Amino acid sequence: MNKHRFGSPAAATIFMQVHPHLHGKRGVDLLHEPLLNKGTAFTERERDALGLRGLLPPRITTQQEQLARVLETVRNKPTDLERYIYLVSLQERNENLFYRLMTDYIGEMMPLIYTPTVGLACQRYALIFRRPRGLFISLRDRGHVKQILQNWPHADVRMIVVTDGERILGLGDLGTNGMGIPVGKLSLYTACAGVAPELCLPVTIDVGTNNQELRDDTHYLGLRQPRERGAAYDGLIDEFVNAVQDIFPLACIQFEDFGNANAFRLLQQYRDRICTFNDDIQGTASVALAGILSALRISGASLSSQCFLFQGAGEAGIGIGELLVGALRAEGLSEADARRRCWYVDSKGLIVASRQDLSSHKRNFAHDHPGTKTLLAAVEALRPTMLIGVSGMAGAFDERVVQAMGKLNPHPVIFALSNPTSKAECTAAQAYTWTEGRAIFASGSPFPDFTLHGRTHQPGQGNNAYIFPGVGLGIIASQAQRVTDEMFFVAAKVLAGKVTDGDLSVGRVYPDLHRIREVSAAIAEAVAEVVFERGLTTMRRPVNLFERVQALMYDPNYTEYV
Ligand code: NAD
């Protein structure tokens, strides 16, 4: 059964070995198994052999016909939230068709299953809740986390995305409602890199919420208590991490949308112990570095001649800065010089050495300099070449700030990375208009093309989905035991290398999203190469690594079961 699900018969055999419970499904059970269901596409022979006759309308349709039907249905929905709900229900009944739609229409579907729509879906989580997806682990489950993991129906999990819901996109603490994020991210692992859906496990850890509105909401589905901190919090996370090592020893844990104090701390605590990374810190850094490298191809300048000013010094901002320091050092700069190229403005103004209120991750970028209160004053004082917004402060790049960047630079780089769209520091139209079309612009959530004085600009989306799915596939392909910054550095270089001159000519610093599976496969190969070179696995390097990567990539086409 399902022999073409993967790119090679060997991978298909592995699939059936690790999912014996999928063998022998028939009749209604088969129709209710989303990994196998094909709906009206079951053939006459299959309907007879698998006890399906009479359970489906008589006309047999192809996957292509089904695709046209679901696409029309999605497009006819009145709102993006309705589209999201429909897509989730499609995923719940027919994963192959869902991923066929995702793969073939990724540019149109990604903003629906991920940012910006997923933000709204999380905010409305209780009202749109139909079927649970993923595992919920709460403070009440202390001592039982292993059993919870054993309740998951798939024995071989390779990628776990876990959140505690404290910082969902730029929307803040959404408690258990944050589950939309791990679910959406894992869908992107499959759609963008072909990580098979059954290898993916979304997890939400509910330790309460400090969002009073949610706690007062009669429909809220999480624990109605303030967020637990300290030993009880750490104990639950540790129990979860240890249980994963026991139950799913080959799984990588991706920490996602944790509040920044916990995010930095947990990464530090676990990165040398288990296979783990934090996409908000490391994935963001990699995608931003790729955009920076592409922008330099447009401006013709070198990385080491840049001055970076960040608005926001949280997970994203500091993550990007740390990876940039590595990239600058690779260009020959000393660590101190590299750090001096990166400047930060946070909610209290410019981060400088004299400030007493800095956490350790900010302190690494606190330079001797007089403080400034506003972003504009910082731009004027530091004369940055690149301005990167990761503060969640909508409109922070106002006309005066953007114009100041335009005065200082022939090609000012303006990255407004905050999500969702409503939180972007400026819009694409503003960045182009206020710099007479000279800005090199990218954003976190997508913006439409913008035409100014007869020239059409295509803003790039600095979407982490260019990076984490490929990194994950590389980890799976090499059975990596650790995840290192070097992997995100090579991933950035591979991604930048996939940007064509044609992309750059319209101002796009990322490749067309339609090439995402090709990009992810190349990233996976490069990441796996690092794993083997650094001895971060006990697996032997396959002779043809790229073939191994491709063979693992799930293909959402239907196969004949009989
Ligand atoms: P975070 O909470 O860790 O950090 C936010 C930072 O912004 C903090 O340092 C805070 O001090 C600072 N800040 C708050 N108000 C400010 C103000 N008025 N002026 C200047 N700084 C201010 O969050 P994060 O994980 O770093 O994410 C920040 C934003 O970046 C979010 O909107 C997120 O969606 C976005 N993001 C985008 C991408 C992407 O585009 N690929 C990836 C990750 C995060």
Side-chain angles (χ1 to χ4, degrees):
M1 193 185 268
N2 231 21
K3 65 183 182 301
H4 301 302
R5 180 176 189 83
F6 293 91
S8 79
T13 310
I14 295 168
F15 171 78
M16 290 320 295
Q17 278 167 358
V18 296
H19 301 292
H21 64 290
L22 296 181
H23 273 303
K25 289 235 166 169
R26 298 172 49 80
V28 169
D29 284 349
L30 182 57
L31 297 181
H32 288 175
E33 173 49 67
L35 290 171
L36 300 176
N37 180 29
K38 301 194 283 185
T40 54
F42 280 109
T43 62
E44 294 283 2
R45 224 146 57 100
E46 287 170 326
R47 291 176 188 212
D48 280 337
L50 299 168
L52 296 170
R53 192 158 287 284
L55 298 179
L56 291 160
R59 192 178 138 217
I60 292 162
T61 56
T62 62
Q63 193 186 46
Q64 205 53 37
E65 287 171 315
Q66 290 179 320
L67 182 64
R69 176 156 46 86
V70 293
L71 182 63
E72 194 178 321
T73 309
V74 172
R75 287 179 175 164
N76 283 339
K77 294 284 174 194
T79 64
D80 282 349
L81 188 62
E82 291 292 333
R83 292 186 182 96
Y84 174 90
I85 294 168
Y86 175 76
L87 288 170
V88 168
S89 73
L90 175 61
Q91 189 176 18
E92 278 164 6
R93 58 177 195 272
N94 182 339
E95 294 227 29
N96 285 314
L97 185 56
F98 171 79
Y99 283 115
R100 177 83 278 149
L101 179 65
M102 287 300 127
T103 308
D104 291 4
Y105 293 89
I106 187 75
E108 186 176 342
M109 297 303 146
M110 198 187 290
L112 298 175
I113 58 159
Y114 207 66
T115 179
T117 312
V118 73
L120 190 58
C122 288
Q123 288 170 317
R124 307 273 168 83
Y125 185 75
L127 291 176
I128 66 173
F129 180 84
R130 303 284 191 277
R131 271 191 197 197
R133 193 176 178 86
L135 288 177
F136 297 84
I137 297 170
S138 85
L139 285 169
R140 291 195 204 137
D141 301 314
R142 277 302 304 272
H144 304 285
V145 176
K146 234 183 192 177
Q147 284 140 270
I148 292 181
L149 297 187
Q150 280 162 335
N151 286 343
W152 187 244
H154 305 293
D156 185 20
V157 168
R158 300 297 180 92
M159 189 52 65
I160 294 174
V161 177
V162 58
T163 189
D164 72 355
E166 186 169 7
R167 198 240 62 202
I168 296 300
L169 304 172
L171 300 170
D173 185 348
L174 296 185
T176 254
N177 291 6
M179 182 54 120
I181 297 292
V183 168
K185 276 243 150 144
L186 285 164
S187 298
L188 295 183
Y189 271 101
T190 304
C192 300
V195 174
E198 59 276 7
L199 300 180
C200 300
L201 168 58
V203 177
T204 285
I205 296 190
D206 187 339
V207 291
T209 175
N210 290 345
N211 184 333
Q212 189 61 46
E213 216 178 297
L214 271 188
R215 294 210 306 257
D216 293 342
D217 179 349
T218 39
H219 300 302
Y220 180 57
L221 295 169
L223 296 184
R224 292 163 182 281
Q225 65 168 76
R227 228 164 232 290
E228 188 67 62
R229 309 265 184 214
Y233 176 90
D234 287 355
L236 185 60
I237 300 283
D238 209 48
E239 186 182 341
F240 164 70
V241 166
N242 291 331
V244 169
Q245 307 316 301
D246 281 354
I247 310 295
F248 306 123
L250 292 176
C252 174
I253 303 178
Q254 179 192 318
F255 284 86
E256 181 71 30
D257 284 5
F258 281 67
N260 75 33
N262 285 329
F264 285 114
R265 204 169 54 83
L266 295 174
L267 179 61
Q268 219 43 47
Q269 188 172 331
Y270 291 113
R271 63 182 303 161
D272 296 326
R273 257 186 60 194
I274 60 163
C275 182
T276 188
F277 70 97
N278 182 305
D279 186 57
D280 304 305
I281 300 173
Q282 297 163 288
T284 306
S286 186
V287 80
L289 177 59
I292 289 167
L293 296 174
S294 301
L296 293 172
R297 278 168 64 191
I298 298 178
S299 66
S302 68
L303 184 66
S304 54
S305 65
Q306 302 305 302
C307 172
F308 303 92
L309 178 59
F310 293 87
Q311 156 91 352
E315 296 172 57
I318 298 293
I320 300 169
E322 291 294 346
L323 198 63
L324 263 175
V325 168
L328 287 163
R329 293 198 66 189
E331 299 244 310
L333 265 63
S334 68
E335 169 144 4
D337 283 346
R339 289 195 181 278
R340 262 200 95 81
R341 302 296 158 90
C342 302
W343 294 81
Y344 290 84
V345 170
D346 68 5
S347 54
K348 311 232 169 47
L350 188 63
I351 291 186
V352 289
S354 55
R355 273 179 55 179
Q356 301 300 315
D357 59 343
L358 299 175
S359 55
S360 62
H361 55 270
K362 292 183 183 178
R363 187 147 288 288
N364 292 333
F365 291 99
H367 311 301
D368 285 324
H369 194 278
T372 63
K373 282 277 168 256
T374 66
L375 180 63
L376 180 62
V379 168
E380 285 166 346
L382 298 165
R383 306 176 65 82
T385 53
M386 301 202 181
L387 183 61
I388 299 173
V390 273
S391 64
M393 293 302 298
F397 297 172
D398 62 18
E399 188 166 358
R400 290 197 310 160
V401 167
V402 174
Q403 280 180 345
M405 286 295 293
K407 269 194 206 123
L408 292 167
N409 301 288
H411 293 290
V413 173
I414 314 270
F415 286 1
L417 296 182
S418 288
N419 293 318
T421 319
S422 60
K423 302 283 179 186
E425 285 77 6
C426 68
T427 65
Q430 289 169 333
Y432 295 126
T433 306
W434 294 337
T435 59
E436 309 86 34
R438 290 179 294 120
I440 302 172
F441 177 83
S443 53
S445 299
F447 278 104
D449 295 356
F450 181 71
T451 303
L452 184 71
H453 308 314
R455 185 171 165 221
T456 298
H457 303 263
Q458 291 186 12
Q461 189 191 354
N463 191 327
N464 293 29
Y466 281 115
I467 296 290
F468 67 80
V471 170
L473 182 61
I475 290 168
I476 293 170
S478 58
Q479 296 186 3
Q481 294 171 335
R482 300 286 180 275
V483 186
T484 62
D485 286 343
E486 185 184 7
M487 297 178 196
F488 290 95
F489 185 40
V490 300
K493 287 201 284 192
V494 170
L495 176 57
K498 290 283 179 188
V499 178
T500 64
D501 291 342
D503 294 324
L504 296 177
S505 70
V506 291
R508 202 173 50 218
V509 292
Y510 294 102
D512 196 306
L513 259 184
H514 292 101
R515 293 174 56 212
I516 190 94
R517 279 174 76 108
E518 168 206 332
V519 169
S520 296
I523 289 177
E525 183 191 17
V527 165
E529 200 64 84
V530 173
V531 174
F532 289 113
E533 268 173 23
R534 303 287 177 211
L536 297 171
T537 178
T538 53
M539 190 182 144
R540 276 183 49 197
R541 186 190 184 286
V543 179
N544 191 329
L545 189 51
F546 192 61
E547 254 176 31
R548 152 112 188 144
V549 164
Q550 283 187 311
L552 283 173
M553 289 176 81
Y554 153 82
D555 174 358
N557 282 332
Y558 290 150
T559 49
E560 300 222 347
Y561 296 153
V562 289

